[in-house]
Amino acid sequence: MLLYSKKSSYFADSKDIKTLLIRKMKNILVIGATGQIGSELTMELRERYGNEHVVAGYIVGAEPKGELKESGPSAIADVTNVEMIASVVKQYRIDTIYNLAALLSVVAESKPRLAWKIGIDGLWNILEVARENHCAVFTPSSIGSFGENTPHNLTPQDTIQRPRTMYGVTKVTTELLSDYYHNKYGVDTRAVRFPGIISNVTPPGGGTTDYAVDIFYYAVRGEKFVCPIKAGTLMDMMYMPDALNAAIMLMEADPTKLIHRNAFNIASMSFAPETIYEAIRKYEPTFEMTYDVDPLKQRIANSWPDKMDDSCARAEWGWKPTYDLDSMTKDMLEKLRIKLNK
Ligand code: AKB
């Protein structure tokens, strides 16, 4: 394989070896394209790879709308239906799948069987289709893949992963199954462990970190926010543009540099409720917050890292976030004021 051989004489003469080693995605399927991450990832991929090369996969009842619908192809792609996934992959000659189908942590606790069906039975279907059709696969893991006995401060890349939530169980299984398909069948599986993602476009639903999105809507509407997470509870968070960049950078990365695959710790900021509250008050000085702690959310939050060590992602594929708490807060408030007409 000339393109990936560092020893080839072709590269010896090349001025920009790094650029040539970048993995190219030609036709991409985003499964869960109407969800929190999927809706923005699909648009970002269309911007970078061309509208017609990125298929928005959705399930009945969650159809794409507006720009997402108008700007490129879309197809029903239910992860629980292996024939359906195979047929979409063949029809659009897909070489890369972003598999974002999952239930978030809180809702997965109330529907554990469904969380497994979508997260793991669904992943098995995707990996089988990928194996037969030579696709690369990105299936995100999460800070939820860690548990109470994981070191919480600067959580290492390789460490104890014994979560007690169904979300965590599916995320650890996702990592293991993705590595299994890579090691056994050579499927190009790659993933990151996402922190709580903060965005002003599609709201999350049923997660433990959702408070860090909701708080901005309350601040912009001029309403008091009641926080379900206790003061002092640290969790990793990330602004959506950095999360999208991580997912795309990793799938474009030179495979010869990847020591790890499923899944990389990535981090950009870690904060507790009172810290984000103060960051917002810098721009909205009259904003008020009180606490009414949700026991389930608090139990889940307590079991997650305070802050992850992302040095492997930085070393192996050049991960580097752009936003910190202040620059994210400023941008979120500006965008939401426009969105909510405030
Ligand atoms: C959740 O809170 O469930 C998600 C996550 C951190 O994976 N946002």
Side-chain angles (χ1 to χ4, degrees):
M1 283 264 292
L2 182 64
L3 266 180
Y4 288 143
S5 164
K6 279 195 269 176
K7 292 201 180 97
S8 105
S9 58
Y10 177 75
F11 283 124
D13 294 328
S14 165
K15 282 198 186 120
D16 192 355
I17 291 175
K18 232 177 135 200
T19 312
L20 287 166
L21 284 171
I22 281 174
R23 182 184 166 269
K24 289 284 174 218
M25 300 185 260
K26 291 196 193 80
N27 296 310
I28 305 166
L29 170 63
V30 179
I31 293 182
T34 57
Q36 190 210 7
I37 300 176
S39 56
E40 290 187 64
L41 181 64
T42 305
M43 296 309 291
E44 185 63 29
L45 287 166
R46 284 182 176 163
E47 180 84 31
R48 297 191 196 193
Y49 283 88
N51 287 346
E52 68 282 14
H53 294 289
V54 184
V55 181
Y58 63 94
I59 51 166
V60 175
E63 288 78 9
K65 295 191 182 79
E67 216 192 340
L68 187 62
K69 182 178 171 179
E70 307 306 330
S71 62
S74 50
I76 304 178
D78 181 342
V79 284
T80 63
N81 184 333
V82 71
E83 288 86 19
M84 182 187 278
I85 300 296
S87 132
V88 174
V89 162
K90 286 196 173 83
Q91 182 185 346
Y92 292 95
R93 301 157 67 101
I94 298 297
D95 55 64
T96 307
I97 302 173
Y98 281 89
N99 169 28
L100 304 175
L103 297 188
L104 290 185
S105 53
V106 175
V107 68
E109 279 310 280
S110 62
K111 298 175 184 168
R113 181 69 194 95
L114 184 62
W116 183 271
K117 189 175 170 198
I118 295 172
I120 303 308
D121 297 344
L123 173 63
W124 193 289
N125 290 339
I126 301 284
L127 291 170
E128 272 302 299
V129 172
R131 179 165 78 90
E132 277 162 20
N133 295 275
H134 310 288
C135 302
V137 182
F138 176 93
T139 310
S141 184
S142 154
I143 50 175
S145 69
F146 298 112
E148 260 138 46
N149 53 5
T150 302
H152 275 37
N153 188 28
L154 286 178
T155 301
Q157 172 65 39
D158 300 309
T159 187
I160 303 163
Q161 289 182 280
R162 302 287 291 178
R164 290 189 183 170
T165 60
M166 180 46 68
Y167 184 64
V169 170
T170 62
K171 287 302 176 191
V172 177
T173 311
T174 294
E175 295 188 10
L176 293 172
L177 196 57
S178 298
D179 270 345
Y180 182 83
Y181 265 74
H182 174 66
N183 295 329
K184 186 159 171 136
Y185 303 117
V187 178
D188 189 353
T189 55
R190 310 178 185 194
V192 296
R193 293 181 184 131
F194 275 135
I197 309 292
I198 296 167
S199 133
N200 46 65
V201 181
T202 308
T208 305
T209 58
D210 293 8
Y211 91 86
V213 179
D214 297 341
I215 191 171
F216 283 101
Y217 281 83
Y218 280 79
V220 169
R221 288 196 301 251
E223 293 167 7
K224 186 196 267 183
F225 180 62
V226 181
C227 184
I229 301 289
K230 212 161 56 182
T233 311
L234 287 166
M235 282 187 278
D236 274 300
M237 303 279 180
M238 184 173 288
Y239 199 28
M240 184 65 94
D242 279 330
L244 301 181
N245 212 26
I248 298 173
M249 266 184 87
L250 176 58
M251 292 312 279
E252 287 178 340
D254 170 6
T256 64
K257 299 267 165 56
L258 300 181
I259 300 162
H260 299 86
R261 276 182 171 268
N262 301 284
F264 285 92
N265 285 359
I266 53 166
S268 63
M269 62 187 95
S270 159
F271 56 76
E274 69 277 18
T275 319
I276 189 171
Y277 170 62
E278 285 308 331
I280 293 173
R281 267 169 61 95
K282 191 171 147 194
Y283 301 99
E284 297 281 349
T286 57
F287 179 45
E288 287 179 67
M289 179 173 90
T290 56
Y291 293 91
D292 182 10
V293 173
D294 177 311
L296 173 60
K297 288 185 180 171
Q298 189 62 44
R299 181 170 64 74
I300 297 175
N302 288 347
S303 73
W304 288 357
D306 292 352
K307 185 178 173 46
M308 287 188 288
D309 171 4
D310 63 358
S311 50
C312 291
R314 289 175 188 258
E316 292 174 40
W317 47 279
W319 158 247
K320 196 167 176 283
T322 308
Y323 286 88
D324 61 13
L325 177 58
D326 185 57
S327 52
M328 175 190 75
T329 302
K330 203 161 169 276
D331 198 61
M332 273 296 283
L333 292 171
E334 275 168 22
K335 301 261 165 62
L336 280 183
R337 278 187 207 117
I338 298 168
K339 183 175 170 177
L340 304 178
N341 247 325
K342 292 286 176 184

